[in-house]
Amino acid sequence: MNLTNFRFETDSDGIATLTWDVPGRSMNVITPEVMAELESVVDAVAADAAIKGCVIVSGKESFSGGADLTMLQGLRDLYVGLAKEQGEQVAMQRFFDESRKLSQLYRKLETCGKPFAAAVHGVCLGGAFELALSCQLRVLSDDPATRVGLPEIKVGLFPGAGGTQRVARLMQTGDALQMMFKGEQLKALPARNMGLVHAVLPREQMVAAAKEWLLANPQAKQPWDDPKFKLPSNKVHSAAGMQIWPPASAIYRRETNDNYPAARAILSAVYEGLQLPIDLALKVESRYFAKILRTKEAASMIRSLFVSMQELNKGARRPAEVPPSKLRKIGVVGAGFMGAGIAYVTANAGLEVVLVDRDIEAAEKGKAHSHKLVSDQIAKGRAKTADRDALLGRITASADYADLKGCDLVIEAVFEDPKVKAEVIAKVEAVIGPKTIFGSNTSTLPITGLAQHSQRPKNFIGIHFFSPVEKMLLVELIVAKKTGDKALALALDYVRAIRKTPIVVNDTRGFYANRCVGNYLLEGHLMLMEGVPPAMIEAAGRQAGMPVGPLSLNDEVAVDLALKILKATKAQLGPEAVDPQQDKLLTALVETHGRLGRKNRKGFYDYPEGGPKRLWPGLAEIAGKRLDPESVDMAELKQRLLVTQALEAARTNEEGVVTDPREADVGSIIGFGFAPWSGGTLSFIDNMGAAAFVKLCETLAKKHGPRFKPNRQLKRMAKTGESYYGAAARKAAGEAA
């Protein structure tokens, strides 16, 4: 065999070891080349009478992250091309045949007549775990880094290489559905207890144990290939089975609001597949997989949440001519909630941190935030006391700005007041070196204005973290008028070091994310003042695909903060820059009723001790009117909540704030939860088509006001048939040429 991605050797007992080790990659991935080589190995094992079985291991620290999703993108492109050249029927048949090759390969492996075992250490996800499931024996290492799972749902797909059928034959049906719907990664012991794997052993014992089992079980078969096999939850059409499917369908609709075709396909594939022999069941799964792979939702989610996200994480926007930064020491000024969070994620990445505040008590309080976060992880078994000690040892709490000397980057996270920030800038620049980069963490204040207080505007950049810092993946880097490439490059290196995803935007009030989020909140506020029942507003947000409704979100970010931003906008841009109805609502909530949001347990919702939150009845009185729920068009509410955000994203693109659709889409999903099923704000428009989107905007503008009027760029795109990604591809091709 001529193998590039594997090493194959056989011991004196006739047990083969197949070591998966793709050259030039830190993680094994499934590619067409890997598939072809694996098939040649299966054929060789089956044909050689001297070989009694085969153990599959990884030559890397982890087993595999699964399939290279760009391979699946290529399949979709193949379908589109063939449909144009040879017609829909030919294209669909070829697409179906190609999309099920991995499933057929795994079925060939498990029925070749020789047993296979998977010895897994590290992550084993998606198509790689489906490979393990097709082996007659699955052994995991007891290392905390070992994880298995089927996370395909998170990129708009579902396990299409036998996962839906094998998992549903190993576990109780309800548990299997739950696992695939959530796409969670399982630790070794829970995976064993759930019946997904056979054993959990120390890493150094796995291969020997697997070989011993293969020698003892030369005729081993998968349980579903035994004629006497019975499903864990009994037959679908049985008393036990019919207690599963009605609630499963209800849970699916509650959790997805029918926005994710892949989740629906999981439900259908398992329901139909469990009524069939395994080979027919796998064919059913493959048909659903081919269908889902062709959906706009899958294409958009793969592009944004896998391809684009990887490209941004690897530095797609980094100035190429600037050499990599060697970050060692980071300063954080302001030890409040945001500053403390920034200090934690920085120290957690192994960097030294100087955390400065007005006095040592405040600085130590900020450091205590890191102590609490790691202690919580220790309590959950995710960290050790030594980890906490090491992390805290990397944070120096101080009240002396002089301790910032020697920092590669200083980030201020003080109160959102230009005067306060100006004072901090002056104090910091008095002690740092000329090459140190200064980052301002602000959610709304224009960076160019703040940079005017700096003596080194080329070294000044906005670094906008999202709250809570330790959980949110996005960091928005704001380039001011005089920000230099070195500042941008170092900021991008820092974001990569703390394992977050950066987007680069040009300066404007609210930048990108908060402009879109502001529109979402505004629309919810205006709906409330129109008399729409608040429960319907919240339900519309969730049904549209947002993580929470606009009123809930406002409570989380603080109602008084929204009012402060509104007042600041009015003071700087004039009263016409704010909506009077929103002004009336927020002023009444904050100044009349003292309702500040979740932080004081009173906002749009009441937050009683020990009970669930509930909408505050006084909202109807502030609105002054209440529409009959039967007269409210729920579909239109959902449209308004999504269109207002997508339209604002389009405006930022036209203004040159966000210049790359990848950043607009990735930023919208991981920054403020914009309907992941859509692929992001600009994908939402592209998938609808500019002409249809403009028409929808104009319809909403006639009914609800000029805030829905489409911008010039969108109108031009509607006439030419242009798309955001089409334009970006042509631009990239032009630059490459």
Side-chain angles (χ1 to χ4, degrees):
M1 288 181 290
N2 184 20
L3 302 177
T4 301
N5 299 288
F6 296 92
R7 296 189 297 275
F8 185 81
E9 54 192 5
T10 307
D11 65 17
S12 58
D13 291 323
I15 300 298
T17 300
L18 181 66
T19 304
W20 188 4
D21 197 356
V22 179
R25 286 183 181 260
S26 59
M27 175 79 77
N28 290 324
V29 292
I30 299 167
T31 63
E33 294 76 23
V34 166
M35 291 166 60
E37 290 185 19
L38 180 58
E39 185 163 23
S40 70
V41 169
V42 172
D43 289 338
V45 169
D48 191 339
I51 298 178
K52 299 180 176 65
C54 180
V55 184
I56 304 175
V57 300
S58 172
K60 303 185 186 298
E61 266 308 295
S62 274
F63 193 80
S64 169
D68 182 351
L69 294 186
T70 55
M71 173 178 72
L72 300 181
Q73 273 193 321
L75 280 180
R76 199 172 187 277
D77 294 340
L78 171 70
Y79 166 77
V80 173
L82 281 175
K84 289 179 181 178
E85 295 171 10
Q86 300 181 38
E88 179 75 20
Q89 187 172 348
V90 172
M92 192 62 244
Q93 184 61 55
R94 175 79 180 279
F95 181 77
F96 176 67
D97 292 341
E98 292 293 325
S99 66
R100 70 182 302 224
K101 279 188 173 180
L102 189 60
S103 179
Q104 290 176 313
L105 171 59
Y106 290 168
R107 184 60 179 154
K108 183 177 186 179
L109 180 149
E110 72 179 356
T111 59
C112 73
K114 302 285 181 68
F116 276 74
V120 174
H121 171 77
V123 297
C124 176
L125 304 174
F129 187 45
E130 289 175 293
L131 168 60
L133 290 170
S134 69
C135 294
Q136 283 81 4
L137 177 71
R138 295 172 292 284
V139 182
L140 304 187
S141 81
D142 60 4
D143 193 285
T146 297
R147 297 280 197 283
V148 298
L150 299 170
E152 288 90 341
I153 193 72
K154 295 184 177 181
V155 289
L157 293 173
F158 74 96
T164 65
Q165 302 311 309
R166 293 187 178 94
V167 167
R169 284 166 171 76
L170 290 170
M171 299 167 62
Q172 293 290 322
T173 304
D175 294 336
L177 290 171
Q178 189 87 325
M179 174 193 167
M180 289 184 281
F181 282 160
K182 289 184 175 181
E184 292 178 340
Q185 298 180 22
L186 303 172
K187 292 182 179 180
L189 286 175
R192 186 197 65 187
N193 295 341
M194 294 165 76
L196 291 171
V197 301
H198 300 94
V200 176
L201 297 169
R203 184 180 184 182
E204 62 274 11
Q205 297 177 19
M206 290 192 306
V207 174
K211 286 185 173 184
E212 184 179 341
W213 187 91
L214 291 171
L215 278 172
N217 296 274
Q219 303 301 320
K221 291 182 178 181
Q222 294 281 35
W224 40 86
D225 287 323
D226 185 337
K228 298 179 181 179
F229 173 69
K230 291 184 178 181
L231 296 170
S233 295
N234 214 326
K235 294 180 179 180
V236 169
H237 294 288
S238 66
M242 293 315 292
Q243 288 183 28
I244 294 168
W245 293 100
S249 182
I251 291 169
Y252 152 74
R253 290 193 174 275
R254 183 191 70 196
E255 296 297 321
T256 69
N257 289 294
D258 212 21
N259 286 321
Y260 296 89
R264 187 165 63 247
I266 289 173
L267 203 63
S268 298
V270 174
Y271 177 77
E272 295 172 28
L274 289 182
Q275 300 177 61
L276 299 168
I278 186 69
D279 287 299
L280 281 176
L282 290 170
K283 192 169 185 179
V284 166
E285 178 193 77
S286 293
R287 292 202 178 280
Y288 278 111
F289 187 70
K291 178 182 178 181
I292 294 304
L293 197 52
R294 288 166 50 234
T295 63
K296 289 180 179 179
E297 290 86 352
S300 298
M301 290 180 74
I302 290 171
R303 180 174 64 194
S304 293
L305 294 174
F306 180 77
V307 179
S308 295
M309 202 160 171
Q310 279 198 344
E311 291 168 350
L312 295 177
N313 286 338
K314 290 177 180 177
R317 293 297 309 280
R318 192 184 187 281
E321 66 281 0
V322 181
S325 312
K326 295 180 180 178
L327 296 167
R328 287 180 290 270
K329 185 177 175 183
I330 307 298
V332 180
V333 181
F337 185 65
M338 290 299 291
I342 296 168
Y344 167 75
V345 298
T346 305
N348 196 43
L351 298 171
E352 297 294 322
V353 181
V354 178
L355 182 59
V356 176
D357 212 310
R358 62 185 180 276
D359 53 53
I360 193 64
E361 290 78 16
E364 288 289 355
K365 184 178 178 182
K367 182 175 179 178
H369 180 67
S370 290
H371 185 283
K372 180 182 183 303
L373 290 174
V374 188
S375 296
D376 289 345
Q377 292 181 36
I378 292 171
K380 295 174 182 176
R382 297 175 183 171
K384 298 176 182 177
T385 304
D387 299 325
R388 180 178 62 197
D389 294 342
L391 186 144
L392 293 175
R394 290 191 287 271
I395 302 176
T396 301
S398 174
D400 188 352
Y401 278 77
D403 288 339
L404 296 171
K405 188 175 181 180
C407 286
D408 304 297
L409 168 69
V410 175
I411 303 169
E412 67 80 8
V414 298
F415 189 65
E416 289 276 299
D417 184 311
K419 291 181 180 178
V420 174
K421 289 185 181 289
E423 292 173 4
V424 168
I425 292 166
K427 289 180 180 179
V428 170
E429 289 192 346
V431 297
I432 60 174
K435 294 182 179 180
T436 300
I437 303 303
F438 189 99
S440 178
N441 176 64
T442 174
S443 56
T444 56
L445 298 175
I447 299 301
T448 301
L450 294 176
Q452 290 176 355
H453 301 287
S454 171
Q455 300 300 310
R456 307 154 186 160
K458 284 188 177 181
N459 289 0
F460 199 100
I461 190 168
I463 304 181
H464 177 208
F465 286 87
F466 293 75
S467 181
V469 177
E470 65 274 7
K471 292 182 179 178
M472 298 299 287
L473 291 175
L474 184 70
V475 177
E476 205 172 19
L477 299 178
I478 304 98
V479 177
K481 285 184 179 179
K482 295 183 179 180
T483 300
D485 282 351
K486 288 184 179 179
L488 175 58
L490 184 136
L492 284 165
D493 291 344
Y494 166 69
V495 174
R496 185 175 187 180
I498 61 173
R499 297 181 289 276
K500 294 192 181 292
T501 298
I503 63 171
V504 180
V505 305
N506 290 313
D507 195 22
T508 186
R509 177 176 291 277
F511 319 129
Y512 166 65
N514 280 348
R515 280 180 59 169
C516 297
V517 170
N519 273 27
Y520 181 58
L521 299 181
L522 171 63
E523 205 59 32
H525 296 161
L526 296 183
M527 288 175 177
L528 183 63
M529 297 304 281
E530 290 166 16
V532 177
M536 291 189 74
I537 299 170
E538 295 290 85
R542 293 191 301 273
Q543 288 178 23
M546 298 297 292
V548 294
L551 308 183
S552 292
L553 180 59
N554 202 162
D555 273 2
E556 295 296 330
V557 301
V559 183
D560 59 328
L561 176 61
L563 181 60
K564 284 177 184 176
I565 293 171
L566 184 144
K567 285 184 174 182
T569 303
K570 189 194 295 187
Q572 294 180 22
L573 303 179
E576 66 280 355
V578 303
D579 190 288
Q581 289 295 96
Q582 185 183 38
D583 194 351
K584 176 184 174 183
L585 172 63
L586 295 178
T587 300
L589 282 168
V590 176
E591 297 181 357
T592 304
H593 299 283
R595 305 187 70 84
L596 311 182
R598 182 183 276 275
K599 65 182 181 182
N600 80 330
R601 313 188 73 84
K602 297 187 299 181
F604 288 93
Y605 285 79
D606 284 319
Y607 298 87
E609 290 277 2
K613 67 180 184 181
R614 50 178 179 260
L615 284 158
W616 180 48
L619 292 174
E621 184 180 338
I622 295 176
K625 53 186 171 181
R626 180 178 172 83
L627 297 174
D628 178 0
E630 295 295 329
S631 70
V632 178
D633 185 343
M634 197 68 172
E636 186 185 83
L637 295 185
K638 292 191 286 185
Q639 285 177 338
R640 287 170 63 180
L641 291 171
L642 294 183
V643 168
T644 188
Q645 297 178 78
L647 182 55
E648 192 63 21
R651 291 175 183 135
T652 64
N653 183 261
E654 182 177 46
E655 295 167 18
V657 176
V658 174
T659 58
D660 189 324
R662 294 175 300 179
E663 292 179 301
D665 280 346
V666 172
S668 67
I669 295 174
I670 67 173
F672 50 93
F674 183 85
W677 60 264
S678 70
T681 47
L682 296 188
S683 282
F684 179 80
I685 298 173
D686 274 1
N687 287 338
M688 188 181 295
F693 185 77
V694 165
K695 185 177 180 181
L696 176 57
C697 288
E698 289 171 341
T699 300
L700 292 173
K702 286 179 183 177
K703 189 172 181 181
H704 298 288
R707 66 183 180 279
F708 283 106
K709 283 187 177 180
N711 53 306
R712 290 180 182 178
Q713 182 191 59
L714 270 174
K715 289 180 178 179
R716 185 176 68 250
M717 289 168 61
K719 290 180 180 178
T720 62
E722 184 63 275
S723 68
Y724 288 104
Y725 278 91
R730 274 188 289 278
K731 181 182 177 183
E735 290 174 352

